[in-house]
Amino acid sequence: MSILAWILLGLVAGFIGSKIVNRSGEGLILDIILGVVGAVVGGFLFNQFGAAGVTGLNLYSLVVAVIGAIVVLVLYHMVVRTTVR
């Protein structure tokens, strides 16, 4: 996949994941970063369970990336919440 496809997939996955986790986005840049990281994490997790990871710019890859983005966002919020207090 090209870098532009990763950014596009990350943007969409990060946006959807942000809406699921905290009902508001984290901002465009942070959504993209967390979404791309989430796509990598989701692909890794799916590979560990024997399923295919991110396979391209398609609906299955979007689902994998969103699940990974949710995991990353939950961890991100746990870290930010503990460092703020």
Side-chain angles (χ1 to χ4, degrees):
M1 248 176 33
S2 71
I3 189 71
L4 186 60
W6 275 102
I7 290 172
L8 180 64
L9 183 68
L11 173 64
V12 174
F15 177 76
I16 293 170
S18 289
K19 295 298 181 185
I20 291 171
V21 171
N22 67 352
R23 305 272 189 242
S24 64
E26 299 295 331
L28 181 65
I29 301 300
L30 193 55
D31 279 348
I32 292 173
I33 292 168
L34 293 175
V36 171
V37 171
V40 172
V41 169
F44 175 76
L45 290 175
F46 271 63
N47 280 331
Q48 293 301 310
F49 289 110
V54 176
T55 59
L57 195 57
N58 53 38
L59 186 60
Y60 175 76
S61 295
L62 180 62
V63 171
V64 171
V66 168
I67 291 170
I70 290 171
V71 170
V72 169
L73 280 164
V74 167
L75 293 174
Y76 171 78
H77 284 292
M78 287 173 41
V79 169
V80 168
R81 192 173 303 137
T82 57
T83 58
V84 170
R85 290 183 182 183

